[in-house]
Amino acid sequence: MTKSLMVIGTSSHVGKSILVAALCRSFSRKYKVTPFKAQNMSLNSWITRNGEEIGIAQAIQARAAGVEPTADMNPVLLKPKGSHISQVIILGKPFADKRAGDYYDSIDGMMAVVTGAYNRLASAHDMIIIEGAGGAAEINLYDRDIVNIGIARAVKPHIILIGDIERGGVFASIYGTLQLLPEDIRSLVFGIIINKFRGDIRLLEPGILQLEELTGLPVLGVIPYTDIKLPSEDSVSIKDKTGNNHPVKIAIIWLPHISNFTDFEPLEKYADIRYIEPGDSLGEPDAIILPGTKNTIDDLKELRSKGLDRQIVAESKKGTPVIGICGGYQMLGNEIIDTGIEGTGGVCSIKGLGLLDVTTRFLDYKKQTRQVEKPVTGDGAILGQLKGGKVRGYEIHMGETDGGEPAFGDDGSVSKNGLVIGTYLHGLFENENVRTSFLGYLYKQKGILFKNKDDGDSIEELAGFIEEHVNMELIYRRIEGA
């Protein structure tokens, strides 16, 4: 029978995704493991080999487990569009745009999708490590909560509860969560983990003893704060990002519906990355990046209403490189024509930033989702030296864009001076050749030689770190019925 372990949290952003990734790597040394998250709400997504769209956290967890990501690992994905509307992705494919109330009215059907996906994974794996979502004790949602209560009731996994001490009130949040859980779910919880600890552990020990007495559960570990990096699950993580002292400064436009900002995390160890909101000053960056967005039309209107569009154009005219990915690429063009598919304002046409000679049209509710490999065909100081080479990435977009000089085979566009580049390829800076050329150009403008750094295996490093601070022996004993 397939073993199951579930990680739930006292709230969002307490470290569930990271812990599941580490556990996937640890248990994969003994079992054939797969991650599972019944329902995810995130604009950071990943495309499988079969062209299925899932949350990026489950793709990272699958890599940690040594298995190929599939849609069954995240059968329901919600991508917020604004005005309480989300695009509902079912088993990797876009299903419909729904308001929250309409979605919850169909929760029985969603639960059937979830249990079907779980059962398929169970038939092919020795162990499933389940990630909950948000705070587990959302008592107003218990009758419709498929991702915490629903899946826990369906499969009765062994459950670990994790809390974030950095937020403050960790003992109260852990105790309160346990008390508010339904009795049948509370009885499945066998241990507690405290995450993101800084300071002297001896000062925490009296509280740990009292917590264990109050709950009757062991604290399996206290995990110190660490800078080991994995791709972020959702936009909550942007608030944790701070600048550094790297000589090169890159401004990333923090669009209201920003998606897949994980595209730019490979740049963080080399450049001072700043996320600029539409109402903020752009400053004097060495490069500007417009990221993907779940709502290109509305986000472009927001840039325009706050005057950030004019700042971007002015910087481009001064010779500052500007790169647009997906929705950001669409914004760089001359015009976007929407038949009521993308924005929330119905049929419209809106002028773009005019930095690339392309036009985008949203004509039908059809999404392009695929992994791709493309040749570098663009010219200029950044792409010219890569011409004839290859890049890999994945596409997740609605709309079709025409015109201009392509950057990568039949994809994207590059300006005549080579300093404005648009593409639909997510994961662009995962390509070492692109990353080196882009950063090499920026460093050269500063009179500095750019050098790549050895990344190592961050997942293996993370797993070792967790194993050092968590009682893995007790977890194994519980899972194996000892």
Side-chain angles (χ1 to χ4, degrees):
M1 193 166 107
T2 303
K3 305 177 189 303
S4 59
L5 174 64
M6 185 174 186
V7 176
I8 61 174
T10 56
S11 69
S12 296
H13 202 50
V14 298
K16 296 185 294 292
S17 298
I18 296 290
L19 180 59
V20 168
L23 292 173
C24 280
R25 175 57 61 88
S26 293
F27 279 100
S28 69
R29 301 184 184 116
K30 185 172 182 180
Y31 300 105
K32 185 177 181 183
V33 178
T34 180
F36 180 79
K37 187 167 185 174
Q39 173 191 292
N40 207 340
M41 178 174 280
S42 175
L43 290 176
N44 286 347
S45 57
W46 176 267
I47 300 302
T48 71
R49 285 183 180 175
N50 294 331
E52 303 156 338
E53 187 175 7
I54 64 174
I56 197 166
Q58 282 61 64
I60 298 301
Q61 291 160 1
R63 190 176 80 189
V67 296
E68 188 67 29
T70 70
D72 282 339
M73 296 173 186
N74 177 207
V76 181
L77 175 62
L78 306 178
K79 304 190 73 174
K81 296 186 66 173
S83 300
H84 307 290
I85 296 173
S86 290
Q87 183 181 59
V88 181
I89 310 291
I90 296 180
L91 293 174
K93 300 298 180 184
F95 174 67
D97 289 355
K98 288 200 171 190
R99 293 187 177 275
D102 296 334
Y103 171 73
Y104 285 121
D105 287 342
S106 62
I107 209 67
D108 290 341
M110 294 298 105
M111 193 65 204
V113 170
V114 165
T115 54
Y118 182 91
N119 290 336
R120 286 189 293 274
L121 291 175
S123 68
H125 297 84
D126 304 321
M127 183 174 182
I128 299 179
I129 303 182
I130 305 166
E131 181 187 341
E138 303 291 351
I139 58 178
N140 57 310
L141 297 176
Y142 279 170
D143 62 336
R144 64 194 82 171
D145 176 10
I146 64 177
V147 67
N148 293 310
I149 305 305
I151 193 63
R153 283 199 170 127
V155 305
K156 297 179 175 52
H158 304 287
I159 298 178
I160 295 171
L161 173 63
I162 183 171
D164 178 359
I165 196 170
E166 192 174 48
R167 291 170 174 261
V170 70
F171 295 120
S173 62
I174 288 172
Y175 183 76
T177 296
L178 287 168
Q179 292 301 306
L180 290 174
L181 287 175
E183 176 55 37
D184 60 323
I185 305 303
R186 189 188 316 143
S187 65
L188 300 174
V189 181
F190 73 94
I192 297 162
I193 289 177
I194 296 173
N195 194 24
K196 303 182 190 175
F197 178 70
R198 305 175 194 249
D200 188 343
I201 188 66
R202 293 173 297 179
L203 299 177
L204 197 64
E205 287 171 352
I208 291 174
L209 292 174
Q210 290 184 61
L211 184 64
E212 290 180 330
E213 290 174 1
L214 286 168
T215 63
L217 297 172
V219 173
L220 301 171
V222 176
I223 304 174
Y225 194 94
T226 178
D227 288 328
I228 299 173
K229 300 292 187 183
L230 291 183
S232 304
E233 182 174 18
D234 53 46
S235 58
V236 175
S237 302
I238 294 179
K239 298 174 184 177
D240 294 337
K241 296 181 181 296
T242 57
N244 51 49
N245 293 320
H246 289 304
V248 164
K249 300 185 183 337
I250 299 177
I252 298 177
I253 308 304
W254 190 348
L255 301 171
H257 302 95
I258 188 171
S259 65
N260 284 75
F261 67 87
T262 49
D263 285 342
F264 319 116
E265 291 183 332
L267 302 175
E268 290 178 356
K269 67 177 65 176
Y270 306 104
D272 187 350
I273 304 294
R274 302 295 174 108
Y275 282 82
I276 307 298
E277 296 188 69
D280 295 341
S281 170
L282 194 56
E284 297 182 350
D286 299 304
I288 301 167
I289 297 177
L290 278 78
T293 166
K294 193 65 199 73
N295 194 326
T296 305
I297 299 290
D298 289 0
D299 283 2
L300 180 54
K301 290 178 179 178
E302 180 71 6
L303 291 189
R304 187 150 288 149
S305 71
K306 299 295 176 61
L308 190 53
D309 62 324
R310 296 191 296 275
Q311 294 184 58
I312 295 169
V313 171
E315 283 297 316
S316 176
K317 288 181 178 178
K318 289 181 352 187
T320 303
V322 180
I323 296 180
I325 309 288
C326 201
Y329 166 38
Q330 295 168 345
M331 292 182 187
L332 291 177
N334 294 321
E335 186 179 17
I336 303 174
I337 300 167
D338 184 20
T339 60
I341 302 296
E342 178 73 356
T344 57
V347 177
C348 72
S349 173
I350 183 171
K351 296 295 183 184
L353 301 185
L355 297 179
L356 291 174
D357 188 21
V358 298
T359 298
T360 298
R361 294 175 175 82
F362 293 97
L363 301 177
D364 52 33
Y365 193 82
K366 181 181 178 183
K367 180 181 280 192
Q368 183 71 262
T369 57
R370 59 180 181 173
Q371 293 186 7
V372 297
E373 181 179 89
K374 303 277 188 178
V376 180
T377 53
D379 290 311
I382 297 173
L383 294 184
Q385 60 184 310
L386 306 178
K387 201 164 185 177
K390 301 282 188 182
V391 295
R392 293 179 179 271
Y394 54 99
E395 296 181 27
I396 318 171
H397 68 91
M398 289 185 167
E400 297 294 335
T401 302
D402 300 307
E405 294 296 323
F408 306 103
D410 59 355
D411 170 79
S413 181
V414 59
S415 62
K416 290 183 178 179
N417 68 358
L419 296 180
V420 181
I421 302 168
T423 177
Y424 278 119
L425 299 186
H426 292 288
L428 184 66
F429 296 111
E430 295 286 349
N431 293 275
E432 184 177 347
N433 58 347
V434 175
R435 189 173 64 243
T436 300
S437 182
F438 174 57
L439 291 167
Y441 174 81
L442 299 181
Y443 269 71
K444 186 177 180 180
Q445 303 310 300
K446 299 281 188 180
I448 306 172
L449 180 65
F450 172 73
K451 292 183 179 180
N452 256 314
K453 300 176 183 177
D454 181 15
D455 290 341
D457 187 343
S458 57
I459 293 176
E460 186 64 31
E461 183 183 359
L462 174 67
F465 183 78
I466 295 298
E467 289 164 352
E468 180 183 351
H469 296 285
V470 171
N471 189 340
M472 294 298 296
E473 180 183 356
L474 197 156
I475 296 175
Y476 267 94
R477 285 170 54 195
R478 178 71 178 218
I479 294 300
E480 295 174 347

